[in-house]
Amino acid sequence: MFDVLYIQHSKLSQSLLDEIIKIKSVAWPYSYNEHSEWIKTNIKNSDIHVLLYDGKTALAYINLIEIEVNIDEIKLHGFGIGNVCAIEKGKGWGKEIILKVNNYLFENNKVGLLFCKMELLKFYIENGWVMTTNEQIYFSNISDTVNTLVYNIPDNFIQIKYNGQPF
């Protein structure tokens, strides 16, 4: 059985930051200081860190970035999903944590938005995320070389507009 910790960035302790950086360092081989600086620069106090645990060991990590999107001209609040990673690949922990986040989005009536490279599409689609078409999306600050996926929005939406920063 897995446990999940959702913690706002403003309440993050040094020991939790250390656990996050340990996990992130597996996927992105930067120094501790580079990871720490990236988090300080890109994560707002209201954003949420998500850690998946098996007992006392942190196995996987995701960050939830508070966002506003317009879906068919209706302003909705949600989360951008970023930094999905696990301490070890191939163990199913990425799947476990994304399913926990899906449930969190659904229970809190929040939209989920993520950007990913082609090689990660299958993973997200198999776990309930829906890929958008180029006609359905408008982003002012996002490269069109990434794929956009959504979660917990109406199936028949026409257009999503997001003007925030990439996450």
Side-chain angles (χ1 to χ4, degrees):
M1 187 66 164
F2 295 101
D3 297 312
V4 180
L5 173 67
Y6 297 89
I7 186 163
Q8 271 191 325
H9 182 66
S10 63
K11 297 177 177 144
L12 190 67
S13 68
Q14 185 62 48
S15 63
L16 284 175
L17 177 63
D18 292 345
E19 286 185 61
I20 290 167
I21 292 174
K22 180 180 177 183
I23 296 169
K24 285 185 64 171
S25 294
V26 172
W28 300 282
Y30 298 107
S31 71
Y32 180 95
N33 288 340
E34 288 170 314
H35 280 291
S36 182
E37 190 59 36
W38 186 93
I39 290 169
K40 187 185 304 182
T41 303
N42 292 285
I43 305 294
K44 301 181 301 289
N45 279 337
S46 58
D47 293 339
I48 298 172
H49 299 277
V50 184
L51 287 151
L52 179 77
Y53 288 90
D54 180 12
K56 293 184 178 186
T57 304
L59 304 172
Y61 172 75
I62 292 178
N63 59 308
L64 304 178
I65 305 298
E66 278 193 319
I67 60 169
E68 276 188 6
V69 294
N70 287 309
I71 299 177
D72 298 337
E73 300 304 322
I74 298 169
K75 187 182 291 187
L76 296 172
H77 295 274
F79 289 104
I81 309 303
N83 291 295
V84 179
C85 54
I87 198 77
E88 249 183 280
K89 292 187 182 262
K91 300 285 188 178
W93 299 328
K95 178 182 181 76
E96 284 293 329
I97 197 168
I98 198 72
L99 291 176
K100 300 284 188 190
V101 165
N102 290 356
N103 192 49
Y104 181 87
L105 294 171
F106 183 77
E107 287 180 354
N108 290 283
N109 197 29
K110 299 288 185 182
V111 170
L113 181 67
L114 67 81
F115 308 110
C116 74
K117 296 177 183 175
M118 187 64 74
E119 59 267 19
L120 297 173
L121 274 178
K122 181 180 175 190
F123 170 79
Y124 291 112
I125 291 169
E126 286 177 349
N127 289 295
W129 286 74
V130 177
M131 188 170 163
T132 62
T133 65
N134 288 339
E135 293 78 32
Q136 291 175 302
I137 58 174
Y138 171 79
F139 301 120
S140 59
N141 297 315
I142 309 298
S143 166
D144 58 4
T145 63
V146 297
N147 297 286
T148 304
L149 293 100
V150 294
Y151 188 82
N152 202 33
I153 67 169
D155 291 335
N156 58 350
F157 73 94
I158 297 169
Q159 188 176 55
I160 299 172
K161 292 181 183 177
Y162 173 68
N163 293 317
Q165 295 299 314
F167 38 84

